[in-house]
Amino acid sequence: MTSHSKLSNLDDLVFDNRFIRELPADEETINHRRQVIGACYSRVKPTPVMNPKCIAYSREVAALLDLHNDTCEGDNFTQVFAGNYLARGMESYATCYGGHQFGNWAGQLGDGRAINLGEVINQQGKRWALQLKGAGPTPYSRTADGLAVLRSSVREFLCSEAMYHLGVPTTRALSLMLTGESVIRDMFYNGNPKAEPGAIVCRVAPSFTRFGHFQILTARSDIPLLKKLVDYTIQTDFPYLGEPFPDNYLRWFTEVCRLTAEMIVHWQRVGFVHGVMNTDNMSILGLTIDYGPYGWLENYDPNWTPNTTDAQDRRYRFGNQPQIAFWNLGQLANAIYPLIEQIEPLLQAMNVYTETFEKGWQDMMAGKLGIKAFDSATDEKLFAELIALLQLVETDMTIFYRQLAKINCDIQLPMTEADFNLAFNYLSAAYYVPEQINASYKTHLHSWLETYSCRIQKDNTSNADRQLQMNKINPKYVLRNYLAQLAIDQTEQDDFSMIEELLTLFQKPYDEQPSKEKFAGKRPDWARQRAGCSMLSCSS
Ligand code: AMP
Ligand code: MG
């Protein structure tokens, strides 16, 4: 459609609430916590809030829904996306899912503080599901309150949009509202509960279906409903796979394996650590979902996780994410096994995960280094040596790759001391502890840079071309934990300007943006041990 009219009234959004129309509802309609059997969702209304205020909204996500900016700046928008009332066509509900948390089956989890508002069909015919996070209790809230605090809502809002612009598959965020009410949280579960401002994010995605939606049905031996949900998912979220029939179940699972692998390659590319890769936090569409205690690698450390709840085992550490995604796919395979009843083809599909990840990772690493095409004869060793090098001294991953793009590879080999010193000057911007740089480190680096330059020369790539290519895949700006924390601190003081500034900055994370250089720097020393900057918990 070329003529595109922007909606000035939320009541003009066109809803087609297929999830609740085609799947069975919980018969119980009173909102109390319970096990919900034989149904995919429960109807529940958001809890009204006292004094909602719009902190920010994403103009781009509004545009996906055909919403006019004026509409998003009006009071009606604030009221609807803070959960005070539903616009025409909205039907609110919470869905039922289960999951493995930290490797253990946890039974029913469900949308404990997420309330879906329905699915918008935009003017291009694209389906966008809307979901409020933090809009009050649902039948799935277990012992918790169904609410969300400002700090975690700011983090979800900014990160969803930043990830999208980094090219990482993700759920999006339409709006960030203050509720005007406070929420009690014990941030580190250490007996220090405190009142924090409550907030609500409206998430937007083609669908919010998770691995756990399938798992809970199999765990309850509800195979007819499992089949129904799989058929529904193929028809709605994977229409390009054709009609759902048993042969297609395997094609579908293979596709989930492929999409998941692609997502993980992106996470490893930009240094994103999800922090809670439980199976209930895995999207069937391979989207990054549930931004909780996530973080960004600053100094390159494969063992790092921002999640203090996982500090002991580090199950969800950066370097383990590819294995965990595989494990989670194994759980999904178990869940759909009753529909397939053969192990071998499921294992073959999981091989597609491994192959897609390995190939994707090699291509991605080649891209990060400005190599035209991965060549196993030389590049496996080159990558492995680089990864070792990045850990020898504390090295900022993001800055390192951007600076590497600047060095001169068009040099006489073997690399002279003078050429090495020039390259080293660029790279030194990435080191956290200059005292760690000793002669042995410099020897390693010299040798690696020499091999690297030789490899680039083999490709015959000019410095300028290499820099251009590398800067398209290595971001200049990522949502460093301390940046999110500064934005939270200011927002808590009623100053929303940094949210706006970061939202705009992260729309072009690969551009130099010279006036924003201060956001590209290393994590400052004060942030090393500060809560919210280096340590986060699931409490949000
Ligand atoms: P998470 O670890 O945030 O993915 O959440 C795991 C489960 O706990 C999901 O079912 C969530 O909906 C639920 N949950 C997390 N926080 C809350 C909360 N404040 N109120 C109700 N349910 C919650
Ligand atoms: Mg979750």
Side-chain angles (χ1 to χ4, degrees):
M1 191 180 293
T2 45
S3 72
H4 207 76
S5 54
K6 287 276 178 84
L7 306 179
S8 48
N9 190 333
L10 290 178
D11 288 336
D12 294 336
L13 286 168
V14 177
F15 281 88
D16 174 43
N17 302 330
R18 197 166 172 182
F19 190 93
I20 59 169
R21 191 172 67 237
E22 297 193 6
L23 295 166
D26 176 9
E27 281 168 17
E28 167 88 70
T29 51
I30 299 167
N31 187 3
H32 66 95
R33 281 115 165 129
R34 59 184 176 270
Q35 294 292 307
V36 174
I37 313 290
C40 288
Y41 67 93
S42 309
R43 289 189 185 267
V44 58
K45 292 235 168 354
T47 304
V49 298
M50 216 143 53
N51 189 15
K53 188 155 156 193
C54 183
I55 297 174
Y57 73 95
S58 158
R59 288 178 171 75
E60 296 182 328
V61 179
L64 293 177
L65 304 177
D66 308 312
L67 291 174
H68 205 288
N69 289 343
D70 293 347
T71 318
C72 302
E73 283 154 31
D75 183 55
N76 201 32
F77 182 83
T78 305
Q79 298 294 340
V80 168
F81 292 105
N84 276 354
Y85 43 80
L86 299 179
R88 187 164 56 206
M90 286 180 175
E91 295 176 277
S92 57
Y93 61 96
T95 70
C96 181
Y97 57 79
H100 281 87
Q101 296 186 316
F102 299 93
N104 304 305
W105 176 244
Q108 177 181 298
L109 298 166
D111 289 329
R113 53 156 162 194
I115 296 185
N116 300 275
L117 300 175
E119 301 150 49
V120 167
I121 306 292
N122 74 6
Q123 291 173 16
Q124 258 128 29
K126 204 163 159 37
R127 179 175 298 271
W128 289 111
L130 309 182
Q131 182 176 84
L132 299 182
K133 182 173 179 181
T138 77
Y140 309 94
S141 296
R142 299 183 290 158
T143 56
D145 55 12
L147 304 175
V149 292
L150 179 62
R151 64 184 151 84
S152 61
S153 307
V154 167
R155 287 168 50 80
E156 165 137 10
F157 179 78
L158 287 178
C159 199
S160 313
E161 292 306 287
M163 289 283 268
Y164 172 76
H165 290 286
L166 285 165
V168 186
T170 178
T171 60
R172 304 288 301 267
L174 171 66
S175 55
L176 171 61
M177 304 294 177
L178 273 170
T179 61
E181 297 180 7
S182 56
V183 175
I184 307 291
R185 283 288 179 274
D186 184 355
M187 190 166 166
F188 285 107
Y189 307 115
N190 59 2
N192 290 309
K194 168 173 154 241
E196 299 190 42
I200 298 177
V201 166
C202 178
R203 297 166 160 172
V204 177
S207 109
F208 292 105
T209 305
R210 303 151 184 263
F211 291 9
H213 280 102
F214 304 92
Q215 287 184 285
I216 189 72
L217 300 175
T218 309
R220 288 168 168 170
S221 304
D222 192 346
I223 308 309
L225 188 49
L226 172 72
K227 180 174 183 317
K228 208 173 176 132
L229 181 63
V230 171
D231 288 353
Y232 169 84
T233 301
I234 294 175
Q235 282 170 327
T236 313
D237 297 324
F238 297 82
Y240 57 94
L241 293 181
E243 278 304 297
F245 61 90
D247 269 6
N248 249 356
Y249 293 160
L250 272 171
R251 281 186 62 202
W252 167 66
F253 179 62
T254 310
E255 184 65 355
V256 177
C257 290
R258 194 185 64 76
L259 292 170
T260 305
E262 287 184 349
M263 172 185 79
I264 302 288
V265 169
H266 281 292
W267 289 2
Q268 306 307 98
R269 170 174 67 85
V270 298
F272 176 79
V273 188
H274 183 284
V276 207
M277 290 177 72
N278 293 335
T279 56
D280 53 299
N281 290 338
M282 297 292 291
S283 143
I284 204 72
L285 287 169
L287 305 173
T288 313
I289 192 170
D290 266 14
Y291 290 92
Y294 68 81
W296 297 81
L297 277 194
E298 284 168 329
N299 54 299
Y300 185 88
D301 176 5
N303 287 320
W304 185 72
T305 173
N307 186 356
T308 52
T309 318
D310 191 24
Q312 205 84 61
D313 295 341
R314 299 183 176 264
R315 179 179 171 87
Y316 298 139
R317 62 191 182 273
F318 177 72
N320 211 28
Q321 296 188 127
Q323 282 72 21
I324 290 293
F326 183 82
W327 191 89
N328 288 345
L329 285 163
Q331 302 313 314
L332 179 62
N334 286 338
I336 63 169
Y337 174 79
L339 302 182
I340 293 171
E341 294 186 315
Q342 300 168 68
I343 291 188
E344 194 49 40
L346 284 167
L347 289 175
Q348 276 171 20
M350 291 184 63
N351 278 339
V352 169
Y353 170 83
T354 310
E355 286 159 17
T356 311
F357 177 76
E358 276 174 8
K359 169 97 179 44
W361 191 82
Q362 288 161 348
D363 291 348
M364 175 272 279
M365 283 299 290
K368 281 181 87 69
L369 293 179
I371 292 169
K372 279 187 186 143
F374 172 75
D375 178 355
S376 61
T378 49
D379 300 347
E380 244 158 64
K381 190 157 173 270
L382 187 73
F383 300 167
E385 284 174 0
L386 172 62
I387 286 167
L389 191 66
L390 288 171
Q391 293 169 74
L392 278 182
V393 300
E394 276 188 48
T395 311
D396 190 279
M397 170 179 162
T398 306
I399 299 176
F400 182 88
Y401 282 104
R402 287 295 282 209
Q403 294 299 96
L404 185 67
K406 293 183 185 162
I407 74 163
N408 180 10
C409 288
D410 192 10
I411 49 170
Q412 205 74 51
L413 295 174
M415 191 180 215
T416 64
E417 205 53 34
D419 283 331
F420 171 73
N421 285 336
L422 286 174
F424 178 75
N425 272 347
Y426 283 118
L427 298 177
S428 49
Y431 301 129
Y432 279 97
V433 190
E435 305 82 68
Q436 290 176 340
I437 314 283
N438 55 23
S440 147
Y441 174 76
K442 282 192 164 181
T443 310
H444 271 94
L445 180 65
H446 190 143
S447 139
W448 187 83
L449 287 172
E450 192 165 270
T451 319
Y452 174 58
S453 299
C454 175
R455 177 69 182 87
I456 296 297
Q457 291 180 11
K458 206 172 93 194
D459 270 357
N460 230 340
T461 313
S462 70
N463 282 324
D465 274 355
R466 178 173 54 93
Q467 186 172 11
L468 201 70
Q469 292 312 319
M470 287 173 74
N471 286 354
K472 284 185 195 160
I473 173 166
N474 298 313
K476 166 113 180 180
Y477 298 98
V478 293
L479 181 58
R480 293 167 182 273
N481 305 318
Y482 87 91
L483 290 178
Q485 189 56 44
L486 288 177
I488 292 165
D489 293 345
Q490 292 195 12
T491 311
E492 286 182 344
Q493 304 303 313
D494 253 1
D495 174 359
F496 307 156
S497 58
M498 190 164 172
I499 304 263
E500 265 326 309
E501 188 175 17
L502 292 183
L503 192 60
T504 310
L505 173 75
F506 290 119
Q507 283 172 354
K508 295 196 163 79
Y510 299 96
D511 287 6
E512 281 295 320
Q513 308 193 52
S515 66
K516 302 292 172 186
E517 195 67 37
K518 63 177 181 211
F519 296 122
K522 279 181 293 211
R523 170 198 60 215
D525 242 10
W526 61 260
R528 196 181 269 263
Q529 296 301 340
R530 201 192 138 183
C533 298
S534 58
M535 303 167 283
L536 293 137
S537 77
C538 285
S539 143
S540 55

